[in-house]
């Protein structure tokens, strides 16, 4: 989410507790956990039905207690009460809490790290465009580097979001924003699209590298190296999850703990009518505890929840603004523009370019 001033005011408003509570059913976490809650509710119904029909009896709507109607149907050794003591659950609650805390802490660290690397890539590409626009008079060369930079960042998004960014949408964006269709074909057919995109940026820098100082060229290359490192780190985060041994053990622990909890809650809710309040209580606890695990799973692969589309669009606007400023400044100063076209366009002023365009 991209927050502004009003968003932050609403985020920390005093009514946020009630507002979020009444929107409980709109939470994506709740929607993803409906199956788990339904299974636990069925377990509760099965426990209540077994105990009241076979063992303890039930209470009707008139608050009259009746003996178990099916007590004589099964042999006596099968008419046992489905209930467990609560002490084991209190004993296991501490270790389970530590597992979930460490799980979420590690997942949030991955989210924070991914966001950092994506921002480094975007800011470094923007800085490259700014430095090149001030160090070079090659308008078309700087524009070509900007296009290559956008393609690199767009390719990074495609590589780390998987099927959330289908190949058809990715190819369409490239063909709409890149005039050189042969370059697009080479990128799409490359073994590693991200590596090929980095190669194209290096080539774009070489076009005007002879006219800039060694210091400017070194600075641009250093920024490009930062982009390459950030891309490699993003690929690493996308390809390597938290060790499966840990995550699977934590999930098994939580699953067993929640599955047997209705057995311990049966006697806890003995004062309610036919133990009926056990069902909503178990469902709420399910959403709370499995929700912690669901948050950890969402943060573990952070690129699908990062605002990647907005960041790609922001980089494109930064590049467009830089080219507009560069062209306006050169027009104002009457500086010579080094083009990348034929010999007739090798050296020209921005004013003459505009006159030819008119």
């Amino acid at each position: 989410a991209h927050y502004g001033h009003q968003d932050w005011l609403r985020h920390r408003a005093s009514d946020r507790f009630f507002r979020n509570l009444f929107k409980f059913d709109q939470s994506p976490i709740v929607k993803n956990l409906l199956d788990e809650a339904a299974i636990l509710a069925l377990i509760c119904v099965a426990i209540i039905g077994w105990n009241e029909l076979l063992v303890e009896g039930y209470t009707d709507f008139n608050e009259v207690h009746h003996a178990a109607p099916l007590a004589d149907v099964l042999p006596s050794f099968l008419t046992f009460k489905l209930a467990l003591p609560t002490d084991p659950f209190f004993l296991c609650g501490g270790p389970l809490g530590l597992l979930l805390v460490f799980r979420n802490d590690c997942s949030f660290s991955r989210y924070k790290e991914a966001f950092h690397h994506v921002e480094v890539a975007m800011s470094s590409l923007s800085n490259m465009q700014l430095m090149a626009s001030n160090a070079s008079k090659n308008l078309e060369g700087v524009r070509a580097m900007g296009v290559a930079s956008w393609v690199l960042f767009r390719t990074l998004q495609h590589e780390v979001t998987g099927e959330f960014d289908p190949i058809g949408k990715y190819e369409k964006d490239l063909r709409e924003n890149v005039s050189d269709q042969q370059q697009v074909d080479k990128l799409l057919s490359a073994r590693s699209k991200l590596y090929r995109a980095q190669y194209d940026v290096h080539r774009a820098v070489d076009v005007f590298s002879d006219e800039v100082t060694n210091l400017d060229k070194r600075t641009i290359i250093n920024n490009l190296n930062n982009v390459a490192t950030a891309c490699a780190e993003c690929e690493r985060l996308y390809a390597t999850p938290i060790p499966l041994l840990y995550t699977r053990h934590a999930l098994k622990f939580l699953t067993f703990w929640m599955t047997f909890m209705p057995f311990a809650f049966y006697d806890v809710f003995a004062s309610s009518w036919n133990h009926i309040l056990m069902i909503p209580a178990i469902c709420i606890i399910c959403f709370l505890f499995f929700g912690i695990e669901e948050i950890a799973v969402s943060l573990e692969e952070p690129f699908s929840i990062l605002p990647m589309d907005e960041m790609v669009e922001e980089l494109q606007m930064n590049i467009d603004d830089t080219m507009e400023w560069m062209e306006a400044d050169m027009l104002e100063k009457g500086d010579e523009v080094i083009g990348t076209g034929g010999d007739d366009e090798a050296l020209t002023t921005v004013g003459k370019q505009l006159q030819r365009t008119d």
Side-chain angles (χ1 to χ4, degrees), residues 92-107:
C92 296
L96 176 60
L98 290 176
L99 281 175
L100 294 177
V101 166
F102 293 149
R103 172 91 163 89
N104 276 266
D105 182 66
C106 187
S107 296

Side-chain angles (χ1 to χ4, degrees), residues 20-258:
N20 293 328
L21 182 62
F22 291 139
K23 293 182 179 180
F24 189 75
D25 59 324
Q26 302 179 13
S27 170
I29 295 176
V30 172
K31 295 178 181 178
N32 290 338
L33 295 175
L34 291 177
D35 292 340
E36 288 83 350
I39 292 174
L40 288 174
L42 290 176
I43 293 176
C44 292
V45 172
I47 293 173
I48 293 173
W50 176 279
N51 290 337
E52 295 189 351
L53 295 178
L54 295 174
V55 183
E56 294 184 338
Y58 66 96
T59 302
D60 61 18
F61 291 107
N62 295 321
E63 298 297 330
V64 177
H65 186 76
H66 300 271
L70 303 179
D72 298 332
V73 175
L74 296 178
S76 58
F77 67 90
L78 291 179
T79 57
F80 53 87
K81 180 180 178 181
L82 294 179
L84 291 173
T86 58
D87 293 341
F89 293 89
F90 288 114
L91 180 64
C92 296
L96 176 60
L98 290 176
L99 281 175
L100 294 177
V101 166
F102 293 149
R103 172 91 163 89
N104 276 266
D105 182 66
C106 187
S107 296
F108 182 77
S109 297
R110 289 171 58 88
Y111 172 84
K112 184 178 179 181
E113 185 179 1
F115 208 162
H116 169 73
H117 291 308
V118 172
E119 285 184 323
V120 166
M122 187 185 72
S123 61
S124 297
L125 292 172
S126 298
N127 288 336
M128 286 172 54
Q129 195 71 13
L130 288 173
M131 287 184 289
S133 65
N134 283 277
S136 173
K137 297 180 181 179
N138 191 333
L139 188 67
E140 295 303 321
V142 176
R143 179 179 287 112
M145 190 194 74
V147 173
S149 299
W150 178 86
V151 170
L152 172 57
F153 196 67
R154 180 66 180 87
T155 304
L156 174 63
Q157 178 194 16
H158 175 70
E159 292 295 308
V160 298
T161 51
E163 295 183 1
F164 291 106
D165 183 26
I167 185 65
K169 181 177 181 294
Y170 169 67
E171 180 178 356
K172 180 182 177 182
D173 288 346
L174 293 186
R175 296 197 182 280
E176 288 179 351
N177 290 276
V178 181
S179 59
D180 189 354
Q181 297 300 306
Q182 291 184 349
Q183 181 180 353
V184 176
D185 293 334
K186 292 177 181 179
L187 176 62
L188 294 174
S189 61
R191 176 191 60 84
S192 173
K193 296 180 179 60
L194 193 58
Y195 195 57
R196 172 70 198 200
Q198 296 177 33
Y199 170 77
D200 290 339
V201 177
H202 275 282
R203 290 187 59 192
V205 172
D206 286 339
V207 171
F208 57 85
S209 60
D210 292 337
E211 60 171 303
V212 301
T213 64
N214 290 332
L215 178 60
D216 290 332
K217 182 178 180 180
R218 188 181 304 115
T219 305
I220 293 175
I221 295 300
N222 287 339
N223 274 270
L224 187 53
N225 291 337
N226 292 336
V227 175
T229 302
C231 291
E233 291 296 329
C234 289
E235 286 188 305
R236 175 186 62 82
L237 288 171
Y238 182 73
T240 56
I242 295 174
L244 298 178
L245 183 67
Y246 182 89
T247 57
R248 289 173 178 173
H249 179 73
L251 183 58
K252 291 175 183 176
F253 197 157
L254 177 60
T255 302
F256 279 114
W257 194 73
M258 285 300 307

Side-chain angles (χ1 to χ4, degrees), residues 309-346:
D309 290 333
E310 290 79 1
M311 299 178 79
V312 171
E313 184 178 358
E314 183 178 354
L315 176 62
Q316 187 172 20
M317 290 188 295
N318 289 343
I319 294 173
D320 291 341
D321 289 344
T322 303
M323 296 310 305
E324 181 181 351
W325 299 335
M326 179 182 179
E327 189 170 351
D329 288 344
M330 297 182 72
L331 176 63
E332 181 180 353
K333 297 177 181 179
D335 290 338
E336 290 184 340
V337 177
I338 303 176
T340 58
D343 295 336
D344 294 337
E345 297 179 347

